[in-house]
Structure formats: C-alpha cells, structure tokens
Amino acid sequence: APDSPIGAHELLPALLSSPTEEVSAATELFDAEQLTRLVSQGETLLAQMHEHGLRATKAEQRLGLIRARLEQYEPQDVWLAADPT
C-alpha cells in the first residue's frame, strides 16, 4: 500500500523475520491474491537461500503461517465461484 511504512520489496523479508504473532496478525490484512504472491515470492527466496547453503528455519516457519492463511481462503473462493448470482 502506498501509505505503508514498509515498501513492497521489504514486506516479505519483514514478514519472514517477524515474531509468529505479528505474522499471524499481518496475514489477516491480505487478500487471497496478495497471499498467493507472498507465498510464491517466499518460496523463491527460500530456494535461493538454500542454494547458497543458508538455513532459514525461522523464515520457513513464517512462510508456513502465510501459506496456512492462504489455504483458509481457498474453500471460500470455490464457494463464491459456485454462486450463480
């Protein structure tokens, strides 16, 4: 968001290094499309870290929280798509 104190390029690293409570709270602010983008970017970032031999256990846990929040959206999206109105 333009008024966010954290730039878009800083958001994922900030989330992946934040306490779990903050990550859980932050994921409530994103819609499914934004969460999908964060998960995708997070997986890419972690893959790059692993290629360089870096362990990212904490970041992997945070990405898991973001992914879990995204999974909560999926049944709702299916339900909305099935709605004929």
Side-chain angles (χ1 to χ4, degrees):
D3 57 348
S4 173
I6 296 177
H9 66 286
E10 300 169 319
L11 178 61
L12 184 64
L15 283 173
L16 295 183
S17 61
S18 294
T20 55
E21 305 80 31
E22 290 180 18
V23 176
S24 295
T27 61
E28 299 292 323
L29 304 174
F30 301 113
D31 63 24
E33 182 180 329
Q34 292 167 321
L35 289 168
T36 299
R37 201 172 313 125
L38 285 170
V39 168
S40 175
Q41 291 171 352
E43 289 170 348
T44 299
L45 180 63
L46 291 176
Q48 290 170 348
M49 292 175 73
H50 289 173
E51 286 174 13
H52 293 285
L54 300 172
R55 292 187 58 216
T57 307
K58 181 177 171 182
E60 289 169 357
Q61 292 170 344
R62 304 311 186 260
L63 184 60
L65 292 172
I66 299 169
R67 189 180 290 116
R69 177 67 180 137
L70 175 59
E71 289 169 0
Q72 292 174 358
Y73 270 96
E74 291 173 354
Q76 183 182 17
D77 289 346
V78 170
W79 178 79
L80 291 173
D83 187 356
T85 56

